[in-house]
Amino acid sequence: MVAIPKTQKAVVFEKHGGPLVYKDIPVPTPGPDEILINVKFSGVCHTDLHAWKGDWPLDTKLPLVGGHEGAGVVVAKGNQVTNFDLGDYAGIKWLNGSCLSCEYCNNGFEPNCASALLSGYTVDGSFQQYAIAKAIHAAPIPAGTDLANVAPILCAGITVYKAIKESGVKPGQWLAVAGAGGGLGSLCIQYGRLMGLRVLGIDTGAAKAKLAQDLGTEVFIDFAKTPDLVAEVIKVTDGGPHAVINVAAAEKPFEMSCRYVRPRGTVVAVGLPKNGYIRSEIMTTVLKSITIKGSYVGNRADTTEALDFFSRGLIESPIKIVGLSELASVFELMEKGEIAGRYVLDTSK
Ligand code: 8ID
Ligand code: ZN
């Protein structure tokens, strides 16, 4: 048994866009159906930046401890918990809990549950040393896993794995990833390759181009250096990609993807730019008979499956590790679009 301290380090903000304060706060106590995870590492997702800025028409808890890619060790549990033991590895994901009895939960659409609890948004998340998760939704992480490297799988990995499945793309077909050099994109390239797809990456800058190519894109297009992106994508994929996963935190690439997607192809919306709309010209939408759909994280089965790819050593986690106290500077880099891959916070620093 490890002793659980009364207080811990966390990054807390009290208002959107306000100071991100690294300070001591109480360690929470798990309820009957909850586990307390000693978070060792937490990925920083662009969603955390949206949450801090208050970008979305969905209220957060305030004050808030953000973060939803937390990997750590179970140190306490409620008396109803049967699926974790003390000492097990567990992960905090975006979907912290859901009712498990509504139409959506019953059909495996847990992210669509109206009473879902969201880590680092409606409940405190993983930018702290000790975080609470509903045991039934916490991610089971196999013993011996590298906790820094697995952290980005807990949101970015699950989300892109699910989005590719939702696209219905088949082995041998083209998958375009718009936002390929970011946290979700760099994992999307790899899951796509592992599913037998030909991957086209779209993003900008030398660092993201190199990362995307190292991770397995067959073709990379720098959108900032390509005057007619739509024509170029159609050319290199010989008619357009069969599916597009939009993971950019910007609106423009969504519209473009509706133009370059192959006839009968699918455009998947994953990125969540502030006030964003997908615009697709109706004539083209109909004549090309394209599908436009949204994909939102993943359910418990998607979690296990996405983690399994990682556990078998098939996924390279493109991470840089810095201390938890440095969250504000990570947000600054992310805002400027200067992060290739994912930053992971070490909660001991
Ligand atoms: O379940 C979901 N749907 C879900 C889950 C997790 C995250 C949605 N998200 C959302 C986030 O809230 C965010 O809006 O996905 C988006 C991407 O998250 P991220 O991968 O964590 O962000 P990032 O690391 O900053 O990467 C974004 C990339 O997009 C590129 C940037 O250069 C960056 O590499 N990008 C931009 I901004 N504009 C682009 C464009 N026009 C572009 N790439 C191609 N074309
Ligand atoms: Zn996320």
Side-chain angles (χ1 to χ4, degrees), residues 44-48 50 56 68-69 94 155-156 159 177-185 202-204 208 223 229 246-250 252-253 256 269-273 295-298 334 337 339-342:
V44 183
C45 178
H46 206 116
T47 290
D48 300 312
H50 291 302
W56 299 334
H68 57 276
E69 287 184 348
W94 176 248
C155 172
T159 301
V177 183
L184 268 64
I202 306 169
D203 211 311
T204 191
K208 290 178 187 173
F223 69 84
L229 182 81
N246 275 296
V247 287
K252 193 157 174 236
M256 288 197 156
V270 174
L272 294 160
S295 186
Y296 182 31
V297 289
M334 186 175 267
I339 298 179
R342 204 37 135 214

Side-chain angles (χ1 to χ4, degrees), residues 114-132:
S115 32
L117 303 174
L118 310 176
S119 304
Y121 205 91
T122 62
V123 296
D124 283 343
S126 54
F127 296 155
Q128 56 182 338
Q129 292 173 316
Y130 292 88
I132 295 232

Side-chain angles (χ1 to χ4, degrees), residues 37-42 70-73 75 89 126 128-130 147-148 344-348:
I37 301 174
N38 176 202
V39 178
K40 301 292 188 190
F41 293 93
S42 176
V73 185
V75 291
Y89 283 179
S126 54
Q128 56 182 338
Q129 292 173 316
Y130 292 88
L147 292 174
V344 167
L345 307 176
D346 176 344
T347 64
S348 70

Side-chain angles (χ1 to χ4, degrees), residues 5-9 24-27 129-130:
K6 292 258 177 308
T7 62
Q8 56 159 338
K9 293 289 185 203
D24 291 309
I25 64 166
V27 171
Q129 292 173 316
Y130 292 88

Side-chain angles (χ1 to χ4, degrees), residues 13-16 51-52 59-65 121-122 124:
F13 65 86
E14 302 211 343
K15 60 173 196 186
H16 295 295
W52 173 62
D59 287 341
T60 70
K61 158 187 184 295
L62 285 174
L64 181 68
V65 175
Y121 205 91
T122 62
D124 283 343

